[in-house]
Amino acid sequence: MNFIKTAVVALLALVALHQSEGNSTFQTQQNQCTREQHRLRYHVSPAEHWINDPNGMVYYDGVYHLFYQYHPYDTVWGPMHWGHTISTDLVAWTELPIALYPDEIGDIFSGSSVVDFTNSTGFQTNPDIAPIVAIYTSAGGEGQRQSIAYSNDKAMTFTKYEGNPVLTDPNSGDFRDPKVRKLLNGKWVMALAVGNKIEFFGSDDLKTWNKLSEFGADPEQGSHGGVWECPDLFPLNVTLAAGVTLEMWVLIVSINPGGPNRGSAAQYFVGDFNGTHFISNPWVNTQWLDWGPDNYAAVTFSNEPQNRVIAMGWMNNWLYANNLPTVAWRGQMTIPRTLELRDLNQTSNPIRLTSVPTSELEALRNPLEYVGNNAEFTVPPQTVIQLTEQATFKNPAMELEITLEITEQPGFSLCAYNAGGEEICFGFNETRWYLDRSKTGNTGFNQEYAGTLYATAPREITAEEMKIRVFLDVSSFEVFADDGLTSMTSLFYANEPLDMLYLNHWSDAGSSATLKVKNFKVWGLVCWVQERTKN
Ligand SMILES: *[C@@H]1O[C@H](CO)[C@@H](O)[C@H](O)[C@H]1NC(C)=O
Ligand SMILES: *[C@@H]1O[C@H](CO)[C@@H](O)[C@H](O)[C@H]1NC(C)=O
Ligand SMILES: *[C@@H]1O[C@H](CO)[C@@H](O)[C@H](O)[C@H]1NC(C)=O
Ligand SMILES: *[C@@H]1O[C@H](CO)[C@@H](O)[C@H](O)[C@H]1NC(C)=O
Ligand SMILES: *[C@@H]1O[C@H](CO)[C@@H](O)[C@H](O)[C@H]1NC(C)=O
Ligand SMILES: *[C@@H]1O[C@H](CO)[C@@H](O)[C@H](O)[C@H]1NC(C)=O
C-alpha cells in the first residue's frame, strides 16, 4: 500500500514523545554514525570484503569471540580464512586481524571453538590461561577433513596442531562444519555435517576421534531439500505445562537450499542425547529456527558465562549472497539471540525453540529518541497509525515493541518506511505471519532475490494477544513474534533509509474485525559502527 495516499489518523494526543535537547554525548554518537550506503549500524559486518558463516563462537575471560568465514581479497566467496571480531557486551564489536590463514592442508572452512579448562589437549603452557582450541574443516586437494589450532593467549594468536588433520573420511565428499562441546562426563562430542545427515564423534583430547552415531539420513527426519551444514547440539531445560522441568537436547541443522521461503535456512530438532546418540522426538513437520529469507548457519557460543544459549547467524541467503548491492563489503551477522525451549501444551509438536534478542541489546536504546504509549486504543479497519512522528523523530535504526489484540480474521502490518514511499512490512494475514520486502527500492539486483520478496510463516498459537518486537537497521529487519516463537529475518536495500514506522489495519472496510493496540514503544538505536576513514 502507498502510505502517502492513505488516510492518516493522527494520534498525537496519545503519544508521549520524550526528547530533550542538547545532550552532547548522544548527539556526538549519532554524528559519528557511518554514512556508507546500506552499512549496518549495530550489526557485525566487516570493514571490507566478503564474510559468511559465523565460526568458533566462544567466550573467555570477559570477551566474546566471533570468527567468521572471510575472504580478505574480494567481496565474493573465495579461499576461506577465519576473520575475527570481539565484544565484551554482545553489543559493540571490534574487528581484529585474521585468525586463521589457509595452509598446505587446505582453506579454513567453518567450525567451532572450545575452552580446554582441563588441559585435555596438553596444549596449555600458562597455568593461568586455558587454551582456546579451534576445530575447523580443512578444505583442499584431498577433500574435506577436520583440523585443530590452539591459542594460549586468549584467542589473539593461534598455532595449528602439527598432527592435522585429526579426522578424515575418504568416502565422504561433504564432511564439514565441526561443532564441539564438552559433556558432563568430560568427553568431547563433535556434531559434523556429512552430506544429508549429521555424524557424531567422540574424543578425550580433541586430537583422536571415534564415530559414535549418525542422525538424519532417514528422509522423514526434517527437511532434505538441500545439503546439511553447520550443526549445533546443546541441552536446554524446558518447564512443561505440567510444572516439571526437563532437560532436552536441541540439534540445529542448516540446509541449503530447501528453506521454508526458498534458499538457505536452519531447521532444528528437539529430543534427547545420551552421550552417543541423538534421538529426535517423532514430529512430522520440520521446525524452522527462522522463517525469513536471511538467517543461515546459525550456531551458538560455547562457555557462555550465564549458561545461556546465544546464537548468531549469517544474515544472508546463498541464492543471492554474492550479489548483494553493498560496495566495500558483503555479508553480515544477525543480532545475537537467546534460545530457549517452550512447551505449547498441545498434543502435536508441543516443544518449540524460541529466539529472542539477547537482553544486552537494550543498551542500544537511545533514551533521547523514544516514543511510547501505554493507553489502549482501537484501530478501525482501513486505518493507518503513525508510530513515529516525521517531524520529531526519524532514525534508520529502531526497535519497536508492540502488543496487539486481534479478533476475526484481521489483517495488519507494521512497516518501516521513508518519505519516498519505500517500505518493508511484517504483518498478519488470517492465520499466517508475512514479511514483505517488495517495496524496498533495489529489489532487482539479482533474479533470485526478486523471487524472495514475500515470505510467510504459520502462527503457532491462537491467543488473541500478540507481542511483536522488531529490530530495524539500515539494511535489515528482524522480527520476533509471540515471545520469539516465530522469528523472521530479512535484508533490504532501500534508496533512502526507512526511518519511520506505521501500523496499518488493512482489514476490509465495514468488517467487524477489531485491532487493539495495548501498548507500544519505539526507540531510536545508537550506532556503534562509526564513520570509517579509508586510506
Ligand atoms: C545524556 O544522556 C545519557 C544517557 O541517558 C546520560 O548518561 C548523560 O548523562 C546525558 N548527558 C547530559 C549532558 O545530560
Ligand atoms: C598441559 O599438559 C601438557 C602435556 O601433559 C604438559 O606438558 C603441560 O605442562 C600442561 N600444562 C599445564 C599448564 O599444566
Ligand atoms: C537443567 O536444570 C538442572 C537442575 O536445575 C541443572 O542441573 C542443569 O544444569 C540444567 N541444564 C541446563 C542445560 O541448563
Ligand atoms: C495444558 O493443557 C491441559 C489440557 O488441555 C489443561 O488442562 C491444562 O490446564 C494446561 N496447562 C497449562 C499450564 O496451560
Ligand atoms: C544411547 O542410545 C543408543 C540408541 O538408542 C543405545 O544403543 C545406547 O546403548 C544408549 N547409550 C546409553 C549410555 O544409554
Ligand atoms: C493475504 O492473503 C491472501 C490470500 O493468500 C492474499 O491474496 C493477500 O495478498 C494477502 N494480503 C497481504 C497484505 O499480504
Side-chain angles (χ1 to χ4, degrees), residues 274 276-277 279:
N274 71 0
T276 58
H277 291 68
I279 295 128

Side-chain angles (χ1 to χ4, degrees), residues 158-206:
F158 281 87
T159 304
K160 295 199 178 119
Y161 172 53
E162 67 275 10
N164 283 340
V166 295
L167 177 60
T168 64
D169 180 353
N171 300 318
S172 295
D174 292 312
F175 190 65
R176 58 177 174 265
D177 309 340
K179 181 73 165 85
V180 175
R181 70 176 299 109
K182 195 168 206 174
L183 302 179
L184 290 176
N185 64 10
K187 304 243 181 235
W188 299 103
V189 61
M190 175 196 293
L192 193 73
V194 185
N196 68 345
K197 63 183 187 307
I198 302 304
E199 294 188 358
F200 296 102
F201 295 84
S203 177
D204 292 322
D205 59 4
L206 299 174

Side-chain angles (χ1 to χ4, degrees), residues 429 434 454 506:
N429 188 354
Y434 68 91
Y454 189 85
W506 51 259

Side-chain angles (χ1 to χ4, degrees), residues 75-123:
T75 51
V76 292
W77 189 86
M80 284 292 116
H81 301 53
W82 271 25
H84 189 190
T85 184
I86 57 169
S87 175
T88 55
D89 58 6
L90 294 168
V91 176
W93 296 83
T94 305
E95 196 172 329
L96 295 183
I98 290 170
L100 293 171
Y101 283 82
D103 55 32
E104 62 286 355
I105 309 177
D107 297 336
I108 315 294
F109 277 18
S110 289
S112 51
S113 300
V114 293
V115 184
D116 182 16
F117 285 109
T118 62
N119 193 21
S120 71
T121 52
F123 289 149

Side-chain angles (χ1 to χ4, degrees), residues 119 122 124-127:
N119 193 21
Q124 187 169 13
T125 52
N126 179 337

Side-chain angles (χ1 to χ4, degrees), residues 1 15 46 178 218 231 260 264 268 289 305 416 447 453 459 469 488-490:
M1 78 162 331
V15 171
D218 181 347
S264 326
Y268 69 87
L289 185 66
Q447 202 178 330
L453 301 180
R459 186 170 189 230
R469 277 177 85 184
M488 297 185 85
T489 299
S490 179

